[in-house]
Amino acid sequence: MRGFTRDSIVQLLDRKTIWLFAVVTVIMVAALIVVGNARFQGGPHGEIEFDAREINEMLGNPMLSVFSSFVSFLVILTVLLTAGTIPVMLVPGRAEFYLSKPISRTAILLNRLWGIMVAYGLLIVICGLIGYATMYFVFSVSVSGIIYLFLLNLISLFIWLSITFFAGVALGSTSMAIVTAGLVWFAQWVLQARELIKGVVDSRALEITLNVMYFVLPNTGDLSDLTVKLASGARVADWAPLYTSLGFAIILMIVTLVIFNRKNY
């Protein structure tokens, strides 16, 4: 396990990935500082002046949602950067090297998953904490449930990695792994508007299909909303996005392991 984790960290450093995360974090920090120091005029004649901190409080802390989107973007960035991990690992010649190790194929795949989760997850948390510290000092925003925000985004990372790992094993292509993740993202984005679609199209078959797909595919959009609620201490009435999305990822990883163990390289 330590070997795969070390490999993931080495790859992260060799590919200069850490600098990409640093640039994104610096941009986020700079944007927060600029917005935090802005002044806005209000009233019929502009006689009232508000700063960004006061506006954030009046609007119910939208900066928390912005910060959550920043962490979610780091997750998406990780998924794109690691989509080729499995296809590259299983190319002829390299596959034999890994499969010759005195560990099972299941252990190889799970250790690779764990290595990415640890290496990139730690980087996401570090960049997120820098962004949170900036938000705290600029907007005086203190989030009691910040640990939930990081925890659920790491769960979201696992969900998306399960998709790219499946595509990497089943299709053996980096581009197809990215396309598969993109198609799933687009599908769950469309499914968020299922009530609107059912209102426009009068079809019982379509309604059943949309409902089934909503509970089968991961709902990372609704999971993001749930993350913000937990972080802000708001009441969560529906935990289904978490349960169904996590269940999807676990089942997909099991299917991936079955395919991997039966495939010839």
Side-chain angles (χ1 to χ4, degrees):
M1 182 179 294
R2 289 195 299 269
F4 282 98
T5 302
R6 184 174 62 251
D7 286 347
S8 296
I9 295 174
V10 170
Q11 290 176 4
L12 189 153
L13 296 174
D14 286 346
R15 296 174 182 174
K16 306 298 186 293
T17 301
I18 191 171
W19 293 112
L20 179 58
F21 277 77
V23 169
V24 172
T25 303
V26 168
I27 292 175
M28 177 64 179
V29 168
L32 288 174
I33 293 175
V34 170
V35 173
N37 287 281
R39 295 292 182 271
F40 304 91
Q41 299 292 330
H45 304 290
E47 69 276 9
I48 304 176
E49 185 178 84
F50 299 96
D51 60 20
R53 183 180 304 178
E54 293 171 328
I55 292 178
N56 182 61
E57 293 176 354
M58 288 188 295
L59 296 179
N61 194 15
M63 291 309 302
L64 177 58
S65 297
V66 172
F67 172 69
S68 180
S69 298
F70 163 64
V71 179
S72 296
F73 178 75
L74 295 180
V75 170
I76 294 172
L77 196 60
T78 298
V79 173
L80 294 176
L81 290 171
T82 61
T85 299
I86 298 302
V88 169
M89 189 179 77
L90 299 179
V91 295
R94 190 169 297 175
E96 288 83 351
F97 168 76
Y98 283 103
L99 297 178
S100 65
K101 300 298 181 181
I103 57 175
S104 67
R105 290 191 177 193
T106 297
I108 290 174
L109 206 62
L110 292 181
N111 282 333
R112 177 59 75 186
L113 174 65
W114 174 255
I116 294 175
M117 288 290 298
V118 171
Y120 285 87
L122 182 61
L123 186 57
I124 289 172
V125 171
I126 292 173
C127 294
L129 287 175
I130 293 173
Y132 175 69
T134 305
M135 185 175 66
Y136 174 78
F137 287 111
V138 173
F139 292 93
S140 296
V141 174
S142 178
V143 182
S144 58
I146 189 66
I147 188 173
Y148 292 112
L149 191 146
F150 288 116
L151 178 60
L152 265 68
N153 271 287
L154 291 179
I155 291 176
S156 180
L157 175 60
F158 167 66
I159 293 168
W160 286 111
L161 287 179
S162 71
I163 296 171
T164 56
F165 268 54
F166 168 78
V169 170
L171 305 175
S173 167
T174 299
S175 58
M176 288 306 298
I178 296 175
V179 169
T180 302
L183 289 175
V184 173
W185 178 86
F186 178 75
Q188 62 91 32
W189 178 74
V190 171
L191 289 173
Q192 284 186 290
R194 67 190 186 285
E195 297 299 332
L196 177 62
I197 296 174
K198 288 187 289 186
V200 173
V201 181
D202 185 15
S203 171
R204 179 60 179 171
L206 177 63
E207 180 179 350
I208 294 174
T209 301
L210 290 175
N211 288 335
V212 170
M213 289 182 63
Y214 178 78
F215 286 103
V216 170
L217 293 177
N219 305 308
T220 53
D222 290 341
L223 186 59
S224 296
D225 295 336
L226 188 150
T227 300
V228 173
K229 289 180 180 179
L230 283 174
S232 62
R235 179 178 175 273
V236 176
D238 185 12
W239 292 86
L242 175 60
Y243 297 147
T244 57
S245 299
L246 191 55
F248 168 88
I250 293 173
I251 293 173
L252 190 60
M253 277 304 303
I254 293 174
V255 173
T256 303
L257 289 170
V258 171
I259 295 174
F260 184 51
N261 280 293
R262 293 182 177 181
K263 211 167 185 182
N264 292 323
Y265 294 97

